[in-house]
Amino acid sequence: MAITLVHFADVHIGVETYGRPNPETGLNTRVEDFVRCLEFLVDRAIEGEVDLAVFSGDAYHTSSPSPTYQREFAGQIRRLSRAGVPVVLVAGNHDTPGTFGRASSLDIFGTLEVEHTYVFTKPRLERVETCKGPVQIVGMPWPSRSWMLTREEYRKLLEEELVGKMEEAYARLLEGFARQLDPDIPSVLAAHVMVRGAGLSGSERGAVVGRDPSLLPSVLANSAFTYVALGHVHRHQDLNRGGRPPLVYPGSIERINFGEEEERKGFCLVRLEREEGETIFGPWRAEYDFVEVPARPFVTVEVEVGDSEPTDAIVDAVRERDLEGAVVRVLYRVREGKVLVDLGRVQRALRERGVWKVAGIVPQVERPERRPRAQISRELDLKEALRRYVESNPELKPLEEELVQYALRLEQELEE
Amino acid sequence: MAITLVHFADVHIGVETYGRPNPETGLNTRVEDFVRCLEFLVDRAIEGEVDLAVFSGDAYHTSSPSPTYQREFAGQIRRLSRAGVPVVLVAGNHDTPGTFGRASSLDIFGTLEVEHTYVFTKPRLERVETCKGPVQIVGMPWPSRSWMLTREEYRKLLEEELVGKMEEAYARLLEGFARQLDPDIPSVLAAHVMVRGAGLSGSERGAVVGRDPSLLPSVLANSAFTYVALGHVHRHQDLNRGGRPPLVYPGSIERINFGEEEERKGFCLVRLEREEGETIFGPWRAEYDFVEVPARPFVTVEVEVGDSEPTDAIVDAVRERDLEGAVVRVLYRVREGKVLVDLGRVQRALRERGVWKVAGIVPQVERPERRPRAQISRELDLKEALRRYVESNPELKPLEEELVQYALRLEQELEE
């Protein structure tokens, strides 16, 4: 007999970059993309009659999502719970408020006591009953200072010591839970955390100041767990491939930016099976498949203009690529400072290829020596720092205003 | 046999003026005041074993409340529904998003299908089963353009005509619902709306531009209804006193500002009773009691300084008043421009009286002629307009920064 579960993470409802308001629905079109992928996942979970759903954090892009975003995420989670599927919800860093006493964006499921939902905003071991029997869940939300350290520890420690202390506390806590597990019952560690050595997409948001705790794979790959369901890193990967237990990031369900261009997006369907015979491990083992969702493609068209007529070179490059329904940026490399490009012709060529959104058509100027890194010191204000950063990363130029706007909003949010 | 219900409105979780963060709870102390009154109400409803709860709108102060505020409001509503009390939730103007397609802050109860809750974000007639039998509920949320007018009507009408059209549509809709009611079953109209002739507290927030729809009492006091449960106006009043049906604003459950200083704050306990014998009305009639909640007192100490030493006069006036636990402002009237007041002594006198928060100690200068009204035109930006308004209303001076800050945040919210 096998217990099946769907494992997903990093849903990030609220990412609006490259989208526009859809007058038919009132939703931003990029938010619709994210919801479509989540809906696809829930469809598959319900059709496949999974016994359990494990969500490893980052439901929303901000810790105070609008009622509209809550409707979209909660509506899909409710479909699972209505179908009788127990849903484990672990708070990620995006779901967690920065201040003591504030509620997480996932708390509403607990407050309203939604049947079949299990919210983890603090670490906890809970036995969850599924149709096919119990599963032991160790839920480890994002390691925030509020639950990892006492007030006294926090006061006494230096900034540099804090992260190390949190990592130690996390490992100790996990070891304690692992010892309490009943080996006759399958167990899942659901953790929103950074594992050392994981390949990042670059779209993960970390600490604003200082360093976030990160754990060694060996700390998490405790053989007391049948499966380790991770969240936080947007690129799908197994950090214990072939080993037991699997240590799996399913990755985000949609692309947040061009950092995720090359990645497949999806979720994991996991089977927890009871093995015959004796092994050095417990009687339960996990196997899983990665299932792709219909995420919107992001495509970078890079063009070496060389000695050709630049507009011709770009249009030719555009015509060679499959750009249907994609968010596209064109980066063309030219030798000298000024080159005249007929942007109208390029735009037309892009439209003919069925592009969904042009993120930018940006020259990359070759220089004999490498551009110096932007000089960013802590003393610069955020806006100025961002502008300087964009100066040394010209492919970001088309996004500059948006970047600054989002950054300032974020800063304001943090200050509040 | 009587069916009992608790009727409340204008909870406004999120008003923080005069409060400060409570380090023990992470909540603003004024938010704690509002939650305490709501909790008191829910305690009374559960102890009194009411059969139904009717909330007539404005749960939160903004249409995108933080997860923390949602936890506080939803937690109390969940106590009612957990006790098996059906809860009717009608969206007020503060709960309603400005844009088509956006969710209301009350939608989460519907999305998560919380048992025994009935959310009305569009007008609807619904039969709600209570322990003592069915009640017909006509829920009328705040009349927003999105549900009152077709897109075509909205486009074709002039600004001045819009409000009149909405009022007509509202009356027609209500008449239609009234005709569908079964006279053998008690019926409650739950409406968040402005009734003409109602006495305002001044803390009600209306349209940003133009005029809000307002209804004649006669339109709402349709004898097909057993009881009319209103929300929006913060002052408790019955606009059909002694008549049938009662047309009742319970008022807000806490004071939002000094405009509500003189008002008792609370909710209504309503009995729907079946009458013996024939009347010109249906067989059901309603009686209700207003129940006070422990709202925080607001006290204005007005002092005529006259020829006395001003500090002595103020301190004497302060000592005469019961100020225990109150938010207090001192307005002292002086004949000429400059008078020296020892603010330290006044503050000490206020502290000795157990004042909870000093909102301001402000001179009111007598002038031969009345100050001109602030010159505010639409062209001024919001910040400048507010500053000018404060100039001509000196008692607002201590709140100026807070006012400007909140106004700008509101403006930003509206733009988003």
Side-chain angles (χ1 to χ4, degrees), chain A residues 98-173:
Chain A
T99 316
F100 165 76
R102 301 275 167 85
S104 134
S105 58
L106 296 177
D107 275 327
I108 195 74
F109 292 92
T111 304
L112 292 177
E113 299 175 32
V114 180
E115 51 173 1
H116 305 310
T117 64
Y118 302 82
V119 178
F120 293 78
T121 54
K122 296 239 166 93
R124 171 173 108 240
L125 162 59
E126 182 158 348
R127 192 178 145 129
V128 171
E129 295 297 328
T130 78
C131 295
K132 302 241 185 75
V135 176
Q136 302 170 96
I137 302 287
V138 173
M140 295 289 281
W142 175 250
S144 76
R145 284 161 194 195
S146 65
W147 62 260
M148 302 232 38
L149 299 169
T150 64
R151 202 170 284 219
E152 205 180 336
E153 281 177 317
Y154 182 73
R155 282 213 193 105
K156 283 204 317 216
L157 291 170
L158 297 172
E159 181 66 34
E160 307 86 80
E161 299 171 320
L162 271 176
V163 173
K165 278 283 171 204
M166 285 167 75
E167 288 164 354
E168 280 171 35
Y170 193 102
R172 224 165 30 235
L173 207 54

Side-chain angles (χ1 to χ4, degrees), chain A residues 19-75:
Chain A
R20 57 184 187 284
N22 180 345
E24 298 298 312
T25 63
L27 275 183
N28 179 285
T29 51
R30 278 298 283 155
V31 173
E32 290 181 325
D33 286 348
F34 282 70
V35 172
R36 186 171 52 246
C37 290
L38 180 58
E39 192 175 18
F40 178 93
L41 177 166
V42 172
D43 286 348
R44 286 293 300 267
I46 292 175
E47 286 161 17
E49 296 182 358
V50 300
D51 304 306
L52 178 65
V54 176
F55 169 65
S56 301
D58 282 1
Y60 305 102
H61 204 52
T62 71
S63 64
S64 192
S66 71
T68 307
Y69 296 155
Q70 290 183 61
R71 177 187 66 195
E72 298 303 324
F73 180 78

Side-chain angles (χ1 to χ4, degrees), chain A residues 67-68 70-71 82 101 103 113, chain B residues 63 68 70-71 82 101 103 113:
Chain A
T68 307
Q70 290 183 61
R71 177 187 66 195
R82 195 191 299 127
E113 299 175 32
Chain B
S63 63
T68 307
Q70 290 183 62
R71 177 187 67 194
R82 195 192 299 127
E113 300 175 31

Side-chain angles (χ1 to χ4, degrees), chain A residues 118-414:
Chain A
Y118 302 82
V119 178
F120 293 78
T121 54
K122 296 239 166 93
R124 171 173 108 240
L125 162 59
E126 182 158 348
R127 192 178 145 129
V128 171
E129 295 297 328
T130 78
C131 295
K132 302 241 185 75
V135 176
Q136 302 170 96
I137 302 287
V138 173
M140 295 289 281
W142 175 250
S144 76
R145 284 161 194 195
S146 65
W147 62 260
M148 302 232 38
L149 299 169
T150 64
R151 202 170 284 219
E152 205 180 336
E153 281 177 317
Y154 182 73
R155 282 213 193 105
K156 283 204 317 216
L157 291 170
L158 297 172
E159 181 66 34
E160 307 86 80
E161 299 171 320
L162 271 176
V163 173
K165 278 283 171 204
M166 285 167 75
E167 288 164 354
E168 280 171 35
Y170 193 102
R172 224 165 30 235
L173 207 54
L174 208 57
E175 183 58 36
F177 285 132
R179 269 199 300 270
Q180 295 172 50
L181 294 173
D182 178 346
D184 275 333
I185 300 173
S187 59
V188 172
L189 166 60
H192 194 89
V193 72
M194 181 67 207
V195 178
R196 262 177 244 173
L200 295 175
S201 300
S203 47
E204 299 86 359
R205 189 199 291 167
V208 177
V209 176
R211 190 165 66 82
D212 285 321
S214 62
L215 279 291
L216 284 171
S218 57
V219 170
L220 296 154
N222 189 314
S223 61
F225 298 114
T226 315
Y227 180 81
V228 179
L230 299 169
H232 186 55
V233 172
H234 293 172
R235 182 184 298 183
H236 166 53
Q237 58 203 290
D238 181 345
L239 286 143
N240 193 24
R241 185 175 285 276
R244 281 173 72 168
L247 211 63
V248 182
Y249 283 111
S252 51
I253 62 160
E254 244 290 355
R255 295 183 173 87
I256 286 157
N257 60 32
F258 281 96
E260 300 179 48
E261 176 173 353
E262 305 290 348
E263 299 168 8
R264 294 191 305 155
K265 294 287 136 191
F267 59 94
C268 294
L269 279 177
V270 187
R271 291 165 59 84
L272 309 176
E273 289 189 86
R274 203 178 170 96
E275 285 188 308
E276 308 294 317
E278 290 284 314
T279 70
I280 56 159
F281 299 98
W284 290 90
R285 58 171 285 150
E287 296 209 330
Y288 70 93
D289 290 310
F290 179 77
V291 182
E292 260 192 269
V293 294
R296 187 167 296 289
F298 275 51
V299 182
T300 302
V301 179
E302 286 191 277
V303 190
E304 285 290 347
V305 168
D307 298 322
S308 345
E309 200 286 311
T311 306
D312 287 345
I314 295 170
V315 167
D316 287 349
V318 162
R319 291 202 175 129
E320 275 169 20
R321 300 291 295 272
D322 178 8
L323 305 177
E324 186 66 34
V327 177
V328 176
R329 63 177 176 182
V330 176
L331 306 180
Y332 59 97
R333 196 172 297 275
V334 290
R335 280 221 199 89
E336 269 161 68
K338 262 213 147 163
V339 164
L340 277 179
V341 170
D342 181 348
L343 291 178
R345 255 187 76 204
V346 176
Q347 289 277 9
R348 274 196 302 281
L350 287 164
R351 267 203 303 280
E352 281 163 17
R353 303 298 295 157
V355 164
W356 186 77
K357 169 79 187 177
V358 179
I361 303 167
V362 188
Q364 311 279 88
V365 182
E366 273 177 42
R367 292 255 172 112
E369 69 272 44
R370 176 143 171 63
R371 257 164 193 267
R373 286 192 58 192
Q375 295 295 321
I376 297 175
S377 75
R378 282 231 188 141
E379 286 68 33
L380 281 181
D381 81 352
L382 181 61
K383 196 166 163 181
E384 185 53 30
L386 261 175
R387 297 218 185 277
R388 291 212 194 165
Y389 180 74
V390 170
E391 266 171 39
S392 64
N393 292 270
E395 73 280 9
L396 293 174
K397 194 72 192 169
L399 280 178
E400 179 168 1
E401 281 317 309
E402 206 160 3
L403 266 173
V404 169
Q405 199 189 337
Y406 270 92
L408 293 180
R409 204 187 292 173
L410 176 65
E411 190 184 38
Q412 195 192 347
E413 218 171 84
L414 288 167

